[in-house]
Amino acid sequence: MSLTFHEQPPYAATVGDAIASVGTFGTPGEMVSLAFAVHTTEPIGEIAFEAGALTGPSGSIDVGATDVFVVKVWEQAGVGVYQSKPVRVPELLVKDDRRALRDGYRRWCGHWRHLHRRSSYYVPPAVRSVGPACTSLEAGVTKQVWLSVRIPADAAPGRYTGVIAASSHGHLAIELEVLPFALAEPAQDLMMWYKATLDCRLSQHWVT
């Protein structure tokens, strides 16, 4: 088999040794993330990654609580007063990194009251947000795959196991330790400000 799994935790810049499993821990109600790299010695034209349910001593975590993405690497403009050269950045979590992200602007927001308003409104790219994570692999190239697990609030403490399948090219074992306590809710509601969208029908500058 040409496909191998390698250690590459979330946000890690380098790829590590070959692995047979990936694991983490978390508390009920928390979302945890795991990541790993895949490498092939032969080209693979189509490969899909999909995680199953996680089973434990007192029940299971449903497949709907897991989500898989491919980490998209693309070229980003340089930064600084004297702009540096563009760099390749692993920046996006997508369901298919082979699809072009096409965005643009339109002259009307869609609301009838603004039919004659002469403004430009941003149109974001259409992306798939559900289902397996799909990609292709060239010989000798490594890609990172990201797995998120939303631990149910009523999950019993203990060790949960499952697998993430790579089409017909093998699978990687998943190990999740659910801790026997819950995190306290913060006293304040945190938010960040940013230019979210120019569409007047949507939230403009913030997310909770």
Side-chain angles (χ1 to χ4, degrees), residues 3-203:
L3 184 72
T4 55
F5 300 92
H6 291 262
E7 182 180 14
Q8 190 178 12
Y11 313 112
T14 58
V15 177
D17 298 332
I19 56 174
S21 65
V22 62
T24 189
F25 59 87
T27 62
E30 184 181 7
M31 186 177 78
V32 296
S33 295
L34 309 92
F36 57 90
V38 289
H39 180 271
T40 180
T41 57
E42 301 174 7
I44 300 178
E46 175 81 27
I47 185 169
F49 298 93
E50 195 165 12
L54 304 178
T55 59
S58 302
S60 64
I61 297 177
D62 188 76
V63 65
T66 63
D67 217 348
V68 188
F69 299 92
V70 177
V71 179
K72 182 177 178 63
V73 180
W74 63 357
E75 197 168 75
Q76 187 181 81
V79 296
V81 177
Y82 303 100
Q83 195 173 64
S84 60
K85 293 181 179 180
V87 293
R88 291 180 60 79
V89 180
E91 189 176 34
L92 298 178
L93 301 181
V94 295
K95 287 294 185 178
D96 194 334
D97 65 340
R98 302 164 298 175
R99 294 186 175 274
L101 301 178
R102 295 186 176 90
D103 59 357
Y105 290 86
R106 64 170 180 257
R107 298 293 293 173
W108 178 43
C109 70
H111 195 286
W112 66 271
R113 289 182 179 273
H114 302 160
L115 184 61
H116 301 291
R117 179 180 292 180
R118 299 182 62 83
S119 300
S120 295
Y121 296 90
Y122 179 66
V123 181
V127 295
R128 179 168 61 87
S129 59
V130 297
C134 302
T135 189
S136 59
L137 291 171
E138 299 178 8
V141 173
T142 299
K143 288 189 177 183
Q144 190 178 30
V145 179
W146 189 287
L147 171 67
S148 296
V149 181
R150 294 174 294 277
I151 304 175
D154 58 353
R159 180 173 173 268
Y160 292 75
T161 60
V163 297
I164 179 168
S167 299
S168 58
H169 301 279
H171 64 270
L172 183 70
I174 305 170
E175 298 178 0
L176 171 64
E177 184 73 23
V178 177
L179 303 176
F181 59 86
L183 298 178
E185 291 291 335
Q188 69 276 21
D189 185 20
L190 302 180
M191 60 187 292
M192 69 177 183
W193 290 82
Y194 73 110
K195 192 68 173 177
T197 176
L198 297 179
D199 191 333
C200 65
R201 299 169 299 175
L202 303 177
S203 171

